[in-house]
Amino acid sequence: MLFPQNRHLLNRLLITALATVALSGCDDATPPSNTTDVTAQGAYSIALSHDGSSATVGSIHHGGSLWTLNPAERIFDWNHRTDGYSNITSSAFAPNDDFVATTDTRTIVLWQRQSGEAVWFWNAPGDIEDIALSAGGELALLGMADYTATLFDIQNGGIRKRLTHEGIVYDVSMSADGLIAATASGDLTAGIWNLQSGKRLQVLSHKNQVRTAEISPSGKLVFTSSMGESGRVWDAASGKLLYEMLGGRGHFSAARFSTDEKTLLTGNTSGQIQLWNLTDGTLKQTWRASARDKWISSNVQVEDVAFAADHWLAAGANGRIYHLR
């Protein structure tokens, strides 16, 4: 019997196993310059801060925590219960990295990053797949198993908007000003939304379940990835497809735009990390995340990617942070 808190981990293991069996091969990729292990045996989730200095970790065995990455240090334990560990299945930093939200499948906690203090605790209206946080930690956009992306007032309580799909909403993101959102759904579409009106601005159609939807800081560009298809960059205002990106083995499981929106960093389910030039859609550099135990799998699902001051970062579901140069 599978308990609900293990559903997110099972999904990740199945995706990684399928990528290993069906998409094996070798490529010309640069190894990471160094790595940092932030869990003993793997993670339900890892999210990197926008400045690349910190990470929230949902460890399989040791609950939630906040880490600094230079130097690597676990500075706060962040769990949703006082008597044990929580299974932190998703988390998100606010655009200025001053607040962090963490979720298990049914509860949400807003944390103050500097002090580590829990600001608010809420019960969710359904099972949570993903979360994005607005500036100042004011609003949270929840990707939900009930076929909605729910805009939630995380400081005062209450649902602001429900953005409706016809399938599970697996991934959500918001522009830096909190006005535009992107959603990825099992209904074979990604959506671009006006969060003030709740109106869907664009429907981005795919041939398979869409698992990743990342909007740029300005809200002008959106990256999407569906199972078994190339990654795509779209113009958010017109819905025009700008570029298609071949990711090699596996689908894209993580993406991040640079602040100037000239480059895009992506990671996929087989551990490939790529840097793209957004002036022409060309590939600039490729790295491969190293496995912690190749007896289990040589592939690493990339949970998140980020731009640091002088290098790039990727976080793996194996509980390892990769420093890329």
Side-chain angles (χ1 to χ4, degrees), residues 9 13 42 49 53 74 83-84 93 105 108 113 132 135 140 147 149 210:
L9 177 61
L13 292 175
S49 63
S53 68
R74 181 175 178 141
D83 60 346
F93 287 82
T105 54
I108 312 160
R113 177 189 176 186
Y147 297 7
V210 186

Side-chain angles (χ1 to χ4, degrees), residues 70-112:
N70 189 22
E73 182 182 1
R74 181 175 178 141
I75 56 173
F76 298 121
D77 288 332
W78 280 352
N79 292 288
H80 295 198
R81 46 188 291 185
T82 58
D83 60 346
Y85 296 132
S86 300
N87 295 333
I88 303 301
T89 52
S90 66
S91 59
F93 287 82
N96 291 329
D97 294 328
D98 48 351
F99 288 92
V100 184
T102 58
T103 80
D104 59 19
T105 54
R106 280 296 183 113
T107 63
I108 312 160
V109 178
L110 180 68
W111 308 87
Q112 211 284 334

Side-chain angles (χ1 to χ4, degrees), residues 86-320:
S86 300
N87 295 333
I88 303 301
T89 52
S90 66
S91 59
F93 287 82
N96 291 329
D97 294 328
D98 48 351
F99 288 92
V100 184
T102 58
T103 80
D104 59 19
T105 54
R106 280 296 183 113
T107 63
I108 312 160
V109 178
L110 180 68
W111 308 87
Q112 211 284 334
R113 177 189 176 186
Q114 192 67 29
S115 67
E117 179 184 1
V119 182
W120 294 105
F121 177 98
W122 303 100
N123 290 305
D127 287 351
I128 304 167
E129 296 287 331
D130 191 36
I131 187 169
L133 198 58
S134 73
E138 294 181 359
L139 299 172
L141 184 62
L142 307 173
M144 305 291 292
D146 68 0
Y147 297 7
T148 70
T150 299
L151 187 63
F152 181 72
D153 187 334
I154 199 170
Q155 300 222 6
N156 300 298
I159 294 172
R160 294 282 190 90
K161 295 286 188 302
R162 287 187 186 270
L163 315 177
T164 304
H165 275 274
E166 294 181 2
I168 293 171
V169 178
Y170 291 107
D171 195 32
V172 293
S173 64
M174 288 192 284
S175 59
D177 59 13
L179 298 179
I180 307 294
T183 56
S185 174
D187 66 5
L188 316 188
T189 72
I192 302 174
W193 307 80
N194 181 312
L195 289 178
Q196 290 184 310
S197 66
K199 179 183 178 181
R200 178 152 38 187
L201 304 175
Q202 303 292 343
V203 177
L204 309 177
S205 297
H206 296 69
K207 294 181 180 179
N208 290 301
Q209 290 185 357
V210 186
R211 290 302 185 103
T212 303
E214 179 72 14
I215 197 165
S216 67
S218 70
K220 294 180 179 179
L221 300 172
V222 172
F223 173 83
T224 63
S225 178
S226 67
M227 306 283 284
E229 294 184 321
S230 58
R232 301 174 183 180
V233 175
W234 310 77
D235 177 81
S238 66
K240 178 184 177 182
L241 178 62
L242 301 177
Y243 306 117
E244 290 197 50
M245 281 112 169
L246 298 177
R249 302 180 291 167
H251 74 270
F252 293 99
S253 50
R256 186 83 62 101
F257 289 89
S258 60
T259 53
D260 62 8
E261 302 184 8
K262 293 181 179 180
T263 54
L264 173 73
L265 188 62
T266 61
N268 72 11
T269 52
S270 65
Q272 193 176 56
I273 305 145
Q274 295 171 294
L275 184 67
W276 305 87
N277 186 336
L278 291 180
T279 60
D280 57 10
T282 57
L283 179 64
K284 297 182 69 173
Q285 192 164 350
T286 301
W287 301 268
R288 180 161 294 283
S290 54
R292 291 176 68 171
D293 188 346
K294 292 185 178 180
W295 288 102
I296 298 175
S297 174
S298 61
N299 288 335
V300 178
Q301 175 159 316
V302 178
E303 288 289 302
D304 202 6
V305 291
F307 293 80
D310 59 353
H311 65 292
W312 301 270
L313 295 167
N318 60 353
R320 176 169 285 181

